[in-house]
Amino acid sequence: MGAVKQVDIAVIGAGPAGLSLACALASSGLQLCLIDPQSKAELSDPPMDGRDIAMTHLSKTILMEMGVWQRFESDVVHPLCEATVQDGSSPYALHFERSDDPDAPLGYLVANHQIRKALFSQAQTLKNVDWLYEQSVISTSASGSGGRVVLDNGDVIEASLVVSADSRFSTTRRMMGIGAKMKDFGRVMIVCNMTHPGSHRNTAQECFYYGRTCAILPLGENTSSIVITVPAAKAEELTSSSPEDFESCVSDMLEHRLGKLTLVSERFSYPLVGAYADKFVSPGYALIGDAAVGMHPVTAHGYNLGLRSADTLAKQILKAKQQGKDIGSLSVLQGYEWRHQLLAKPLYESTNMIVRLYTDDRPLAKLARKAAIRVGNNIAPFKKLVTHRLTQIR
């Protein structure tokens, strides 16, 4: 056996959720340990992965409180002023915009790798965090008396609370005997950045065509992130085609609404698989981020939910510490689980329902989706609810 290290909280995974939890507990007086298989160099300067996150105003508020938002350079934050949903080639679209303040954005688009970089940079300043780079977990256990993490180098971490933040395919979740309902959508998401002569007007556009979807996420001037989802069998054709053929295909797909598109980044592809853990906690153990709930990216809001999980758990931990309670006790952790389930379950199920409806090409489904857009556009409370979710501050 290697060395034994004692900490208050062991966080497995130094991705966006794990780093967010560390930043949220900066002033807690608790000692944290972050464990990740990547090197410090890889974590400090993550490569572009093509994914852009539609950040809500609440996410901005939370990241401001952590000191993370201030680390973004102004040119990596792109205001999102409006969003539209369109079915097929129909010119009719469901519109979301701010009625309370037309000059304020609905939200902000920030590249995933920029979020990771800012979070890691902020977490590096924390005095209460120990870092274990290039370390993999070979076993995890937890009970009412605390948790134990064994690393591949033989070292052991003992903690009052173990937190898994190691992706929707979490291996440590399985080590703890917690299952998850996995939803394989049978589709692949292809993402890239493209330039175009037409203006995107800072408007996100979700276009549901038959057999595929295409989203336009507005970045800098005359630049957009293009997100295409197709059946897995057709993904290879798009990712392996020449840049010229790909550009022509996407321009045609979008009916040239932005003019001729030019590829300016690598094409990235991701199989679309959703995940919802059977439970989020057990004595001495908690799941956050995608390890708890892995969302379909159709709304580009996955990190918002992961950030909320870290923020909610941190608040429960801080409250328990102030009251002199065991931070790993089931009663404390169930408060987090209840709150996060209340937020995550409706969002996860409604997102999957939308995906099912808008990827079903049967005649009745086509009629239903066209009707849904028209009904949604004319029901003020629905639009206000969606807009409020995007723009609420706390």
Side-chain angles (χ1 to χ4, degrees):
M1 181 184 290
V4 177
K5 184 179 184 66
Q6 302 270 350
V7 296
D8 295 303
I9 303 173
V11 182
I12 303 169
L19 291 170
S20 297
L21 181 64
C23 291
L25 293 171
S27 60
S28 64
L30 297 168
Q31 193 64 32
L32 280 69
C33 177
L34 273 168
I35 306 162
D36 199 275
Q38 295 185 83
S39 67
K40 182 177 181 180
E42 291 171 318
L43 288 168
S44 64
D45 191 19
M48 174 192 176
D49 60 14
R51 291 175 290 188
D52 291 275
I53 309 300
M55 306 281 278
T56 65
H57 285 258
L58 179 54
S59 290
K60 178 183 177 180
T61 298
I62 294 171
L63 291 177
M64 286 282 288
E65 292 169 354
M66 293 178 179
V68 174
W69 189 271
Q70 297 89 322
R71 292 183 175 274
F72 292 136
E73 298 291 337
S74 59
D75 61 347
V76 306
V77 179
H78 308 288
L80 180 57
C81 297
E82 188 180 348
T84 66
V85 179
Q86 184 176 340
D87 180 60
S89 298
S90 170
Y92 190 83
L94 174 59
H95 287 262
F96 295 99
E97 64 280 311
R98 293 194 69 159
S99 57
D100 61 324
D101 186 353
D103 295 326
L106 273 176
Y108 307 88
L109 283 161
V110 184
N112 185 59
H113 73 284
Q114 296 288 356
I115 296 170
R116 295 172 65 102
K117 183 176 181 179
L119 282 164
F120 183 81
S121 180
Q122 180 63 20
Q124 282 285 292
T125 69
L126 306 181
K127 305 298 185 185
N128 65 325
V129 175
D130 295 329
W131 297 85
L132 293 178
Y133 305 107
E134 301 179 72
Q135 297 292 333
S136 296
V137 175
I138 61 172
S139 74
T140 307
S141 59
S143 65
S145 58
R148 179 183 173 89
V149 179
V150 181
L151 306 178
D152 57 358
N153 66 355
D155 288 351
V156 175
I157 311 299
E158 294 181 345
S160 299
L161 174 63
V162 175
V163 178
S164 286
D166 54 343
S167 89
R168 67 190 65 198
F169 305 108
S170 173
T171 56
T172 53
R173 181 183 64 210
R174 290 197 296 272
M175 289 175 187
M176 287 295 300
I178 298 177
K181 294 177 178 63
M182 309 297 290
K183 174 65 176 175
D184 188 340
F185 294 96
R187 293 174 180 260
V188 171
M189 176 178 73
I190 300 165
V191 291
C192 61
N193 287 355
M194 304 186 82
T195 58
H196 40 78
S199 173
H200 50 52
R201 306 185 312 280
N202 295 108
T203 299
Q205 302 175 55
E206 186 74 53
C207 311
F208 290 96
Y209 299 105
Y210 302 124
R212 65 187 186 276
T213 67
C214 186
I216 303 167
L217 302 179
L219 303 179
E221 186 175 357
N222 297 105
T223 304
S224 295
S225 171
I226 303 298
V227 185
I228 301 167
T229 61
V230 293
K234 297 182 179 180
E236 177 63 24
E237 180 183 342
L238 280 172
T239 54
S240 62
S241 62
S242 69
E244 295 76 17
D245 287 346
F246 181 79
E247 290 164 358
S248 177
C249 176
V250 179
S251 296
D252 290 344
M253 193 182 300
L254 293 175
E255 300 172 318
H256 301 273
R257 70 186 67 183
L258 294 173
K260 184 183 183 302
L261 290 153
T262 302
L263 188 65
V264 292
S265 77
E266 182 182 341
R267 282 167 279 182
F268 302 86
S269 60
Y270 301 95
L272 294 183
V273 179
Y276 200 98
D278 294 341
K279 58 182 179 178
F280 295 171
V281 302
S282 64
Y285 181 75
L287 295 164
I288 61 171
D290 281 0
V293 183
M295 294 281 291
H296 187 289
V298 66
T299 57
H301 284 299
Y303 174 62
N304 292 297
L305 188 61
L307 179 60
R308 288 291 295 277
S309 70
D311 182 63
T312 303
L313 179 58
K315 282 181 166 50
Q316 284 297 109
I317 290 170
L318 290 169
K319 182 179 177 181
K321 185 173 183 292
Q322 290 169 357
Q323 296 175 347
K325 296 180 180 178
D326 176 7
I327 62 171
S329 68
L330 189 58
S331 61
V332 168
L333 298 177
Q334 282 177 331
Y336 154 69
E337 180 178 53
W338 179 80
R339 286 171 174 79
H340 196 50
Q341 289 270 20
L342 193 63
L343 171 67
K345 190 69 172 177
L347 189 59
Y348 181 80
E349 296 295 351
S350 61
T351 298
N352 289 352
M353 182 181 70
I354 291 169
V355 171
R356 284 195 298 271
L357 177 62
Y358 284 93
T359 55
D360 187 341
D361 294 333
R362 292 175 296 179
L364 282 177
K366 291 180 181 180
L367 288 173
R369 59 207 248 181
K370 289 182 186 297
I373 286 178
R374 288 192 176 272
V375 171
N377 223 19
N378 290 286
I379 298 179
F382 167 74
K383 295 181 71 171
K384 285 182 179 179
L385 177 64
V386 174
T387 303
H388 174 72
R389 177 65 66 88
L390 295 171
T391 58
Q392 70 178 112
I393 297 175
R394 262 296 182 194

